[in-house]
Every structure is written in C-alpha cells, then in structure tokens.
Amino acid sequence: MNSSKTMPKVAAIIVAAGSGSRLPGDRPKAYQLLGGKALIVHSVSLFSQHPAISKIIVVYNQEHLRFLREAMAPFKGIEEVKGGTTRQESVSNALEVLEGDDYDSVLIHDAARPFATLNLIDRLLNELKVEKA
C-alpha cells in the first residue's frame, strides 16, 4: 500500500446483482426509492465523493437492466459488470475487470445499503493499512 502521505488507489465494487425477491414491490431492492432516489444511487454517490476512490464498478442483474440504466443516468465513468448466479460469482466478475490494474485496496459494498458514510470509508481505509482484509 502507498505511504500514509499519499492517497491510496482504491476501487469500489457496488453489488446490485441480487434478485431482490424477499422485498415486495415493483422494483428490485437496490432500486427501491429512499428520499426520491434509488438505494443504489445513494451508494454510488457516496463512493464517488470519496477522494481515494478512483474506480467504481456496479455489478448488476441482467433482468434489472432498465432499472440500472435509469439509476445510473446521472453518473459518468461508472463501469457496469454483469453479475453471476451467486454473490461470490458477481464479485469475482467485478474483480476480473480490475486484473492488471494497480489498486491498493478494493472495497465491496451492497447497493441496497444506503447509510454508509465517508467517515466509514476513511475508517476502513485506515484499517487496511494494518490488516489485509
């Protein structure tokens, strides 16, 4: 990892590839609205505000592509990766995109968890200076 004087190079993987079948409604869980915005928008907005995050990958479910396109319309430079049949496979698909790039850390976040904070990201990155995971 880079020294503490330089900003680490960090990628964020935001996973929105689940079926969302446990939550009733006309939209999958990651695309349910909170404060007029899809949950995934809250997550992508947060990570795009952090100065250490140099790449954001959103992992999506092909069946929810129209919801993804609607939610991601305001964002530029977000890479989209098709998810797999399991969360592990979905994250693996995103990690493959990062192969060959020199990232200090990769943060993985569930798109349907909108209450993370910039402070939480800072704390995680500080902890990653000590621990590998």
Side-chain angles (χ1 to χ4, degrees):
M1 185 172 289
N2 291 333
S3 73
S4 61
K5 294 179 183 180
T6 61
M7 187 66 67
K9 186 176 176 188
V10 181
I13 296 172
I14 300 175
V15 185
S19 65
S21 60
R22 292 179 299 188
L23 186 65
D26 62 338
R27 294 172 171 259
K29 184 168 50 174
Y31 305 99
Q32 293 286 325
L33 301 181
L34 175 68
K37 296 184 217 173
L39 294 178
I40 190 172
V41 170
H42 293 278
S43 295
V44 171
S45 293
L46 170 71
F47 283 92
S48 64
Q49 290 175 45
H50 198 283
I53 306 295
S54 56
K55 183 177 198 89
I56 297 174
I57 299 172
V58 172
V59 186
Y60 67 92
N61 180 326
Q62 182 67 36
E63 293 176 19
H64 306 151
L65 194 54
R66 73 179 177 97
F67 295 112
L68 176 76
R69 295 284 184 249
E70 177 185 302
M72 293 296 100
F75 298 101
K76 304 293 182 236
I78 306 297
E79 188 152 353
E80 299 167 358
V81 173
K82 186 177 174 186
T85 56
T86 65
R87 181 179 177 85
Q88 181 177 351
E89 188 178 323
S90 293
V91 170
S92 179
N93 291 351
L95 289 171
E96 285 179 18
V97 171
L98 297 175
E99 274 186 31
D101 289 339
D102 188 22
Y103 285 93
D104 297 298
S105 301
V106 177
L107 302 179
I108 301 170
H109 183 73
D110 186 330
R113 306 286 182 249
F115 299 119
T117 63
L118 292 172
N119 180 265
L120 175 62
I121 295 171
D122 287 338
R123 291 184 358 240
L124 288 168
L125 293 176
N126 284 332
E127 190 61 29
L128 285 170
K129 292 175 184 174
V130 178
E131 299 293 337
K132 292 185 186 238

